[in-house]
């Protein structure tokens, strides 16, 4: 899954784009030319510090989102209502963990270690997608997250497959394939439930009602309030604006909701013939920012759970290191 | 016919119960790679359970399905080894709460997969060709589970003082439960006689060799086991299984007419 990501500064980070004027003008000119020609930047290439920092922030936020995102859906693994759905859900949550792994690896090519990034997450400095700070209250949430949250993630991430930074773009190609699989599985699970009992249908509608607005907010603040977007566009890190992506998502989702037989909880949602797009109502940005700032319904639970897993696992990682060290010493002794 | 069914349910219940337990680590593993590895183990086990329940349901006929067998039988109907239903921590009563201990998880997976590599291998020659086919697939999975758990067992035993102590405590706690492997149940005996199943006692030497070899490499001590032998495969379980099933079955039972 994904994230409003790089529109949201990490704690203590200035939102103004760093001016590149301190960089070597010749290298800078070559870099700009590569970007303008839509070329790829690879790890060994020179890049301006601000570009590197922006990417580390964005990729690590994305990685953290995948890892934290395992928790809300993981919440239903033990109670999945059939063995088939249990297996699908375990595989999905496992995929999200795999996305976290490739993304941490992509960010490591920029010279920041996984430990440093995890430190950022655990200390509360680094952000992750705020969508995961809402609770999964029923089984239908699992389907709705697949359909809408993974769906919004795909909208956000498809353009990133053309991101100017090679390792990130390549990771995104693989991730996007799996996210679209998740989306189809989530939607299919809901279709089956909508053919079931009245209680099941009500469960689906309730979940849609709770997640719809949160998903719209996933695309990040309106373009007018997105300080990082212009620089991101310039660098080929961002390709399509928040509002355009959000519009695309709304337009794609409305017919899917109709087929499913649920209503989207927005009285202002309607087709606009002149714009050839759907109009939609006001997103509650105050609520969004409260949650981004750490004061949503599950922020503390999500973060503390990650921190606890990490701390509880310290002895396991220590054991692996100690054993590897002993093995190495034994090998040296044997060779001597 | 019912001989094969009872035996299939024993194998399926083993797989689903341990699959349920191992999935508890998803999102909480000690390192991200282990979240993925345990999820793999769990997926394999749930997959085995599905095939085994499906086979049992076919033999039962009527309206039996894999999910009816997994979700609508009570604890006393489950035929899994008691070892597999225990929570991921030391010996505590059913309603006690404790942090999960990865050493317990690893030792349990090791002890069970060291049995299953032999059992599945023998079952590839089952007279039930469907079961033989499931066994052929499962033996590969069990081999991976054995490698994974054995690698960690050795790292823990020969790692730090803390990891050694945790691994030894888990071995001391869990080893007595493995005595249940060797006390043949009526279902196992009947299945072995019919050529569907295997006489488990014939697997003991192979299991002992795997266990002793791994413990030696891990510098762990194998405890002597005396006294009570658990009887989960007869339907007489620990206090833990009804909690596990209570959670696992809650949603399916709340919507008995639901379709998922
Ligand atoms: Fe993602
Ligand atoms: Fe993902
Ligand atoms: Fe996903």
């Amino acid at each position: 899954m994904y994230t409003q990501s790089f529109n949201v500064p990490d704690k203590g980070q200035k939102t103004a784009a760093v001016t590149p004027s301190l960089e070597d003008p010749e290298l800078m000119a070559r870099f700009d030319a590569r970007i303008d020609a839509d070329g790829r930047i690879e790890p060994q290439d020179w890049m301006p510090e601000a570009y590197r920092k922006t990417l580390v922030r964005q990729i690590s936020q994305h990685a953290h989102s995948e890892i934290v995102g395992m928790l809300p859906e993981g919440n239903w693994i033990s109670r999945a209502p059939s063995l088939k759905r249990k297996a699908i859900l375990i595989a999905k949550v496992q995929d999200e963990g795999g996305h976290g792994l490739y993304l941490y690896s992509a960010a490591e090519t920029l010279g920041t270690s996984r430990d440093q990034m995890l430190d950022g997450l655990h200390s509360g400095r680094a952000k992750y997608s705020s969508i995961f700070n809402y609770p999964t209250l029923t089984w239908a949430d699992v389907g709705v997250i697949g359909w809408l949250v993974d769906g919004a993630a795909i909208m956000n991430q498809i353009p990133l497959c053309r991101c100017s930074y090679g390792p990130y773009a390549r990771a995104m190609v693989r991730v996007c394939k799996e996210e679209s699989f998740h989306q189809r599985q989530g939607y299919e699970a809901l279709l089956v439930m909508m053919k079931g009992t009245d209680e099941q249908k009500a469960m689906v509608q309730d979940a849609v009602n709770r997640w719809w607005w949160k998903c719209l907010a996933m695309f990040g603040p309106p373009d007018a309030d997105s300080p990082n977007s212009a620089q991101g566009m310039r660098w080929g890190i961002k390709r399509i604006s928040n509002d355009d992506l959000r519009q695309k998502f709304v337009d794609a989702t409305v017919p899917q909701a109709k087929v499913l037989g649920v209503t989207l909880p927005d009285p202002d949602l309607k087709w606009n013939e002149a714009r050839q797009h759907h109009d939609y109502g006001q997103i509650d940005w105050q609520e969004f920012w409260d949650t981004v700032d750490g004061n949503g319904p599950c922020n503390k639970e999500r973060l503390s759970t990650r921190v606890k897993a990490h701390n509880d696992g310290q002895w396991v990682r220590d054991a692996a290191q100690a054993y590897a060290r002993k093995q190495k010493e034994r090998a040296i002794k044997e060779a001597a | 016919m019912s001989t094969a069914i009872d035996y299939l349910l024993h194998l399926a219940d083993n797989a689903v119960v341990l699959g349920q337990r191992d999935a508890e680590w998803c999102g909480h593993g000690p390192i991200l790679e282990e979240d993925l590895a345990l999820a793999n183990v769990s997926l394999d086990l749930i997959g085995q359970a599905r095939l085994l329940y499906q086979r049992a349901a076919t033999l039962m006929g009527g309206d039996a399905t894999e999910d009816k067998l997994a979700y609508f039988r009570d604890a006393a109907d489950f035929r899994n080894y008691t070892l597999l239903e225990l929570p991921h921590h030391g010996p505590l009563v059913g309603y006690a709460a404790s942090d999960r201990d990865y050493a317990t998880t690893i030792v349990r997976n090791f002890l069970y997969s060291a049995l299953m590599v032999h059992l599945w291998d023998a079952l590839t020659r089952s007279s039930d060709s469907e079961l033989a086919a499931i066994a052929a697939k499962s033996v590969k999975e069990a081999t991976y589970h054995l490698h994974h758990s054995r690698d960690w067992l050795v790292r823990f035993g020969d790692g730090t003082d803390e990891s050694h102590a945790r691994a030894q405590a888990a071995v001391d706690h869990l080893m007595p439960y493995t005595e249940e492997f060797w006390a043949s149940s009526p279902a196992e005996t009947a299945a072995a006689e019919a050529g569907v199943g295997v006489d488990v006692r014939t697997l003991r030497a192979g299991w002992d060799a795997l266990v002793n070899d791994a413990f030696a490499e891990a510098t762990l001590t194998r405890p002597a086991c005396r006294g009570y032998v658990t009887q989960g495969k007869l339907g007489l379980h620990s206090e833990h299984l009804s909690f596990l099933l209570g959670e696992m079955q809650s949603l399916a039972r709340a919507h008995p007419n639901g379709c998922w």
Side-chain angles (χ1 to χ4, degrees):
Chain A
M1 281 163 207
Y2 188 57
T3 170
Q4 73 281 348
S5 184
F6 55 98
N7 297 299
V8 179
D10 284 341
K11 223 174 224 166
Q13 196 160 20
K14 279 188 260 128
T15 50
V18 182
T19 47
S21 59
L22 299 174
E23 305 282 4
D24 179 325
E26 204 170 304
L27 292 170
M28 195 65 215
R30 226 181 298 158
F31 173 85
D32 283 339
R34 174 95 62 98
I35 296 277
D36 292 338
D38 238 352
R40 283 278 160 83
I41 308 297
E42 294 298 335
Q44 65 280 5
D45 296 338
W46 183 89
M47 62 187 88
E49 245 347 272
Y51 175 84
R52 184 186 300 274
K53 271 197 186 142
T54 302
L55 275 168
V56 168
R57 177 169 58 111
Q58 176 171 339
I59 302 171
S60 61
Q61 280 188 5
H62 191 168
H64 300 330
S65 303
E66 302 285 350
I67 302 310
V68 175
M70 295 169 77
L71 299 174
E73 288 187 279
N75 185 38
W76 283 93
I77 289 174
S78 69
R79 293 170 290 171
S82 74
L83 293 182
K84 176 181 146 186
R85 294 293 168 198
K86 188 190 290 290
I88 289 174
L89 182 56
I90 293 172
K92 187 200 178 205
V93 175
Q94 185 192 35
D95 281 349
E96 308 300 0
H99 299 168
L101 268 186
Y102 329 139
L103 287 162
Y104 284 127
S105 305
E108 282 183 319
T109 63
L110 293 157
T112 306
S113 71
R114 201 207 294 188
D115 278 346
Q116 287 172 303
M117 291 183 266
L118 286 178
D119 220 49
L121 173 68
H122 296 156
S123 66
R125 249 179 304 125
K127 298 290 184 206
Y128 55 86
S129 178
S130 234
I131 194 74
F132 302 120
N133 290 316
Y134 300 100
T136 49
L137 300 180
T138 73
W139 171 255
D141 291 37
V142 169
V144 168
I145 287 176
W147 173 36
L148 296 179
V149 176
D150 285 77
I154 295 162
M155 290 281 171
N156 257 329
Q157 287 170 198
I158 294 257
L160 292 174
C161 297
R162 296 183 291 119
C163 163
S164 60
Y165 188 59
Y168 190 31
R170 288 188 288 275
M172 278 303 101
V173 171
R174 183 164 171 193
V175 167
C176 279
K177 270 187 205 150
E178 293 181 355
E179 304 294 17
S180 41
F181 188 59
H182 298 162
Q183 190 197 20
R184 278 191 311 248
Q185 279 182 324
Y187 189 67
E188 187 266 344
L190 297 175
L191 281 172
V192 172
M193 287 180 77
M194 291 302 287
K195 291 195 188 96
T197 63
D198 290 346
E199 287 94 337
Q200 286 186 295
K201 290 176 202 166
M203 208 189 274
V204 174
Q205 182 63 60
D206 166 66
V208 170
N209 292 348
R210 281 182 291 109
W211 288 96
W212 172 249
W213 288 104
K214 320 295 181 211
C215 289
L216 291 192
M218 277 176 76
F219 295 94
D223 295 345
D225 311 332
S226 297
N228 289 337
S229 277
Q231 182 67 79
M233 293 272 200
R234 169 71 194 88
W235 278 336
I237 298 172
K238 186 165 179 61
R239 298 283 186 177
I240 307 179
S241 82
N242 295 352
D243 285 332
D244 288 351
L245 286 169
R246 189 162 19 242
Q247 183 68 62
K248 249 177 111 169
F249 176 73
V250 171
D251 290 339
T253 307
V254 168
Q256 294 166 0
K258 207 168 163 195
V259 170
L260 189 57
V262 295
T263 53
L264 298 171
D266 179 358
D268 297 325
L269 183 67
K270 56 176 178 299
W271 179 249
N272 181 326
E273 192 56 39
R275 287 203 311 126
Q276 288 292 299
H277 286 296
H278 292 85
D279 292 336
Y280 53 91
Q282 270 300 313
I283 294 166
D284 183 351
W285 291 110
Q286 186 55 49
E287 195 265 358
F288 171 80
W289 286 113
D290 280 345
T291 307
V292 169
D293 289 341
N295 302 308
C298 299
N299 298 57
K300 291 179 184 74
E301 293 174 6
R302 300 289 185 240
L303 191 55
S304 316
T305 300
R306 285 313 316 157
V307 170
K308 177 170 167 49
H310 188 76
N311 292 344
D312 289 355
Q314 187 65 48
W315 73 267
V316 174
R317 301 189 298 276
D318 289 346
Q321 263 181 8
Y323 179 73
R325 201 166 44 237
K326 287 185 197 177
Q327 283 293 84
K328 211 165 154 190
E329 284 164 10
R330 283 189 278 248
I332 291 168
K333 229 181 241 172
E334 230 164 77
Chain B
M1 196 63 102
S2 90
T3 298
I5 293 167
D6 291 345
Y7 191 64
L8 286 162
L9 290 178
H10 161 61
L11 295 172
D13 292 345
N14 281 341
V16 83
V17 167
L18 187 57
Q20 176 80 1
R21 276 291 178 225
D22 279 346
E24 290 173 8
W25 280 105
C26 205
H28 311 279
I31 183 165
L32 189 47
E33 285 80 351
E34 283 304 288
D35 278 69
L36 306 189
L38 261 276
N40 260 335
V41 171
S42 186
L43 275 172
D44 287 343
L45 292 168
I46 304 272
Q48 292 169 9
R50 291 191 64 198
L51 294 171
L52 293 159
Y53 283 134
Q54 284 163 14
R55 177 65 183 147
T58 304
L59 294 178
M60 290 164 95
D63 59 356
T65 64
E66 60 174 275
D67 286 328
K68 281 223 170 98
L69 291 170
Y71 287 91
F72 291 89
R73 285 184 307 138
D74 294 335
D77 302 323
F78 270 68
R79 291 290 181 267
N80 58 282
Y81 298 124
T82 305
L83 172 72
L84 308 180
E85 74 208 31
L86 303 173
H88 301 277
H89 55 63
L92 290 171
V93 300
Y95 68 106
S98 174
D99 282 344
R100 290 182 200 103
D101 170 43
Y102 208 60
T104 306
T105 305
I106 288 297
V107 169
R108 186 220 326 258
N109 282 358
F110 170 72
L111 295 173
Y112 176 67
S113 55
L115 173 70
M116 294 314 286
V117 289
H118 295 297
L119 186 57
W120 289 126
D121 176 60
L123 286 176
T124 59
R125 295 178 289 280
S126 169
S127 63
D128 179 344
S129 61
E130 296 276 333
L131 176 55
I134 296 169
K137 173 179 180 288
S138 302
V139 71
K140 291 185 199 131
E141 294 166 346
T143 303
Y144 161 74
H145 304 167
L146 179 64
H147 284 155
H148 173 261
S149 55
R150 191 188 188 284
D151 283 353
W152 278 104
L153 182 78
V154 170
R155 281 187 201 113
F156 289 168
D158 194 19
T160 63
D161 290 346
E162 181 181 4
S163 69
H164 179 88
R166 282 175 181 265
Q168 187 63 58
V171 165
D172 293 345
H173 167 42
L174 296 176
M175 195 56 116
Y177 291 89
T178 62
E179 290 299 314
E180 185 182 337
F181 294 167
W182 318 115
S184 290
S185 68
E188 285 172 308
T189 306
E193 279 167 8
V196 173
V198 179
D199 181 348
V200 274
R201 289 166 307 181
T202 62
L203 308 178
R204 185 158 198 174
W207 184 82
D208 274 334
L210 285 177
V211 169
N212 292 340
D213 178 62
F215 281 14
E217 195 178 334
T219 70
L220 293 166
T221 310
R222 184 169 170 170
C225 300
R226 286 186 300 273
Y228 178 68
V229 176
T230 53
Q231 304 175 67
K233 64 186 179 184
L234 301 177
L236 201 62
H237 289 278
S238 72
E239 291 175 350
H240 304 285
L241 183 63
S242 59
F243 284 101
L244 179 147
L245 294 179
E247 184 173 338
M248 183 180 105
Q249 298 174 334
S250 59
L251 180 58
R253 289 187 179 208
H255 300 272
N257 300 316
C259 48
W260 312 99

